[in-house]
Amino acid sequence: MDSHATPVPMSVPWASAASVTCLSLDAKCHSSSSSSDSSCHTDSANTKLRHIAYTQRCSSRWTMLMTVLLLLLPLSFTPAHSCGPGRGLGRRRERNLYPLVLKQTIPNLSEYQSGASGPLEGEIKRDSPKFKDLVPNYNRDILFRDEEGTGADRLMTKRCKEKLNVLAYSVMNEWPGVRLLVTESWDEDHQHGQESLHYEGRAVTIATSDREPSRYGMLARLAVEAGFDWVSYVSRRHIYCSVKSDSSISSHVHGCFTPESTALLESGVTKPLIELSIGDRVLTMGTNGQPVYSEVILFMDRNLEQMQVFVELHTDGGAVLTVTPAHLISVWHPERQQLDYVFADRVEELNYVLVRDAATGELRPQRVVRVASVRSKGVVAPLTREGTIVVNSVAASCYAVIDSQSLAHWGLAPMRILSTLQSWMPAKDQLRSSQQAEGVSRAEQQNGIHWYANALYKVKDYVLPRSWRHD
């Protein structure tokens, strides 16, 4: 986890460019006055006019040039090599993968916790409405036993199919000539326990085509690397893997809050996130861990119709934060006196989060006493200049998906710089009221992910190792 404080907003070195130009022109004028004082005074008015016009042109060109360079800056870095068995750019970096041992599970949680495959959502039968959500897998690199002869073992959720195909590719790379064998997928004959994800098409039982037990420990490790949400080396005969439901991740694998969650404005008014506007100054957490008010510069996501699974964190002080699983939450480690950012679905009971004290206004650690999973309608994700926000009195990041607050904050730097440049526009005082009205309009009209955030989400799979991402 990222233990570094949020970086101090970068300085803007090009802001002094116009001043340097002014000084150089004035210097030339003064040097000329020593030789021809009357000539300089005669043309002083024209010189000033030319000087102002030249300075304005330079300032405008500098602003345009630096804006373009900063927007292109993320593209100039060499992408990181892929660490997993899936897609990547360039030659894959070698890693030492250690096989699982018998009875080991990853993660070391109950399969039904939100940090693993999540809660049961109900059995799917052939006449169920959800049956159409199951998809067949005809990957030629996978062998399906299909003892029933009904094709049931080929049916699974989209997420399960995606992870299984990645695993099949890894198996062929690890053991040439050996293929992945699926012995059980969707189960319609009730051959498993009462609470089994096989009934939802979210689980597979796998082995290798040669049935060599000595490979199964490494097969389990490859399944973890392929992205299965829960993997168990359950017996010497097979490996069990399961995934989160498609509805729990849907299109929102990033981080959001519920629309009815609240933020505290600088005026002292508590406002639901659905009513926030661009330009509002809300309570956030500064780099020193203290409360500070910061401007909302955009909404990374705003969708009031999306049904979403949220993680609900309850503290011993009564605070309740409802947030998507991939969102970063600030967690305080008293034994190390260290603040980390942790994915919401990996926050555990007895962890400490920072909560605003109503009496003092300071952020104080409170113990998490309950972690639950709930479904709710609507998602809102405001981005502040500080990169953090206090929601329902709990300090959280504005970022999600990657487990580094500092890297995510750097990635959104172009948007902060663009917002700063817009604030420097001429006659900003006269335009302030109209800009605020425009900010309200943009927030109300937005339905979906902000274009820049969407671009970052799309490239993350190619430039970041899987161990850095919430998959």
Side-chain angles (χ1 to χ4, degrees):
M1 294 297 163
D2 178 41
S3 59
H4 299 289
T6 304
V8 178
M10 61 182 67
S11 60
V12 280
W14 61 88
S16 60
S19 300
V20 174
T21 306
C22 294
L23 292 174
S24 63
L25 288 175
D26 287 340
K28 290 181 180 179
C29 183
H30 285 302
S31 63
S32 300
S33 65
S34 63
S35 59
S36 180
D37 187 66
S38 60
S39 175
C40 184
H41 285 293
T42 301
D43 299 332
S44 60
N46 292 335
T47 302
K48 288 180 179 179
L49 289 175
R50 290 195 302 271
H51 162 69
I52 293 172
Y54 178 75
T55 303
Q56 289 176 342
R57 288 197 303 271
C58 289
S59 177
S60 176
R61 290 171 183 171
W62 267 104
T63 301
M64 292 176 62
L65 177 62
M66 295 309 298
T67 302
V68 172
L69 289 177
L70 284 164
L71 290 175
L72 294 177
L73 183 62
L75 301 178
S76 64
F77 287 88
T78 303
H81 296 307
S82 173
C83 294
R87 297 170 295 175
L89 297 179
R91 186 175 60 187
R92 191 172 67 181
R93 185 171 58 188
E94 296 296 330
R95 293 179 58 196
N96 292 325
L97 299 179
Y98 298 98
L100 272 65
V101 298
L102 188 63
K103 303 300 181 182
Q104 183 181 359
T105 63
I106 294 182
N108 188 23
L109 303 170
S110 165
E111 181 183 14
Y112 309 117
Q113 289 189 13
S114 58
S117 293
L120 294 163
E121 294 190 353
E123 179 182 354
I124 297 178
K125 300 180 180 180
R126 288 189 180 269
D127 58 353
S128 300
K130 286 188 175 182
F131 181 74
K132 62 179 175 47
D133 296 329
L134 299 182
V135 293
N137 192 329
Y138 295 113
N139 191 329
R140 296 181 179 180
D141 298 324
I142 304 175
L143 298 178
F144 293 89
R145 191 167 65 175
D146 195 18
E147 290 179 327
E148 301 86 357
T150 61
D153 286 340
R154 291 185 180 271
L155 294 177
M156 58 195 68
T157 63
K158 293 178 182 178
R159 181 173 177 82
C160 189
K161 178 181 178 180
E162 174 190 337
K163 305 307 179 185
L164 197 66
N165 288 342
V166 173
L167 177 58
Y169 180 78
S170 300
V171 168
M172 292 190 302
N173 281 345
E174 185 72 21
W175 303 293
V178 176
R179 287 195 288 175
L180 179 65
L181 172 65
V182 174
T183 60
E184 191 74 47
S185 180
W186 176 62
D187 180 15
E188 60 180 335
D189 298 325
H190 297 86
Q191 296 178 356
H192 297 83
Q194 183 177 0
E195 296 184 345
S196 173
L197 294 182
H198 279 293
Y199 303 137
E200 299 181 23
R202 293 165 52 190
V204 289
T205 304
I206 59 174
T208 56
S209 59
D210 60 358
R211 294 284 191 160
E212 176 53 55
S214 63
R215 303 190 196 276
Y216 292 173
M218 182 56 71
L219 177 63
R221 171 58 65 183
L222 293 178
V224 173
E225 294 294 310
F228 280 95
D229 298 303
W230 198 76
V231 178
S232 174
Y233 188 176
V234 63
S235 79
R236 299 186 186 278
R237 295 178 297 174
H238 57 259
I239 304 298
Y240 174 87
C241 312
S242 63
V243 297
K244 298 179 184 294
S245 67
D246 290 344
S247 61
S248 69
I249 54 171
S250 63
S251 61
H252 285 82
V253 295
H254 40 91
C256 302
F257 305 96
T258 56
E260 59 272 14
S261 296
T262 60
L264 180 64
L265 272 62
E266 193 170 22
S267 62
V269 176
T270 299
K271 202 172 188 180
L273 298 187
I274 191 176
E275 298 179 8
L276 281 184
S277 305
I278 296 173
D280 283 346
R281 290 180 59 81
V282 298
L283 185 65
T284 67
M285 183 177 67
T287 56
N288 58 357
Q290 295 302 313
V292 60
Y293 289 94
S294 181
E295 176 189 2
V296 175
I297 62 174
L298 60 86
F299 286 84
M300 292 198 286
D301 196 359
R302 191 178 187 274
N303 188 327
L304 305 184
E305 300 300 323
Q306 173 69 40
M307 289 299 299
Q308 179 66 31
V309 172
F310 293 87
V311 174
E312 203 172 62
L313 305 177
H314 299 252
T315 72
D316 56 1
V320 180
L321 178 65
T322 308
V323 65
T324 47
H327 206 102
L328 289 176
I329 306 298
S330 56
V331 173
W332 174 252
H333 301 280
E335 68 282 357
R336 304 200 307 262
Q337 294 291 295
Q338 179 179 324
L339 183 68
D340 285 339
Y341 285 88
V342 180
F343 292 129
D345 63 1
R346 298 177 191 175
V347 177
E348 300 176 356
E349 294 179 4
L350 304 183
N351 283 164
Y352 286 86
V353 295
L354 297 183
V355 181
R356 179 179 180 270
D357 188 318
T360 65
E362 295 183 352
L363 296 174
R364 301 288 187 185
Q366 286 189 12
R367 186 167 53 247
V368 176
V369 294
R370 180 169 173 259
V371 179
S373 178
V374 297
R375 286 180 62 83
S376 184
K377 185 178 182 180
V379 290
V380 179
L383 173 64
T384 66
R385 193 174 297 278
E386 197 70 31
T388 58
I389 186 170
V390 176
V391 174
N392 291 354
S393 299
V394 181
S397 171
C398 290
Y399 308 121
V401 180
I402 62 172
D403 67 350
S404 172
Q405 170 75 5
S406 57
L407 180 59
H409 196 61
W410 179 90
L412 270 295
M415 292 295 98
R416 292 194 299 276
I417 294 171
L418 183 60
S419 176
T420 300
L421 292 176
Q422 290 174 342
S423 70
W424 291 349
M425 291 176 62
K428 61 179 182 296
D429 293 332
Q430 291 85 344
L431 296 175
R432 186 179 302 275
S433 59
S434 62
Q435 287 176 345
Q436 288 177 346
E438 182 185 356
V440 174
S441 176
R442 290 202 305 269
E444 291 177 348
Q445 292 176 4
Q446 181 177 339
N447 183 31
I449 309 174
H450 187 276
W451 66 268
Y452 185 81
N454 192 39
L456 292 182
Y457 290 135
K458 287 182 177 180
V459 303
K460 68 178 175 60
D461 293 337
Y462 297 94
V463 300
L464 294 177
R466 182 182 176 276
S467 59
W468 293 13
R469 309 192 306 264
H470 184 280
D471 285 332

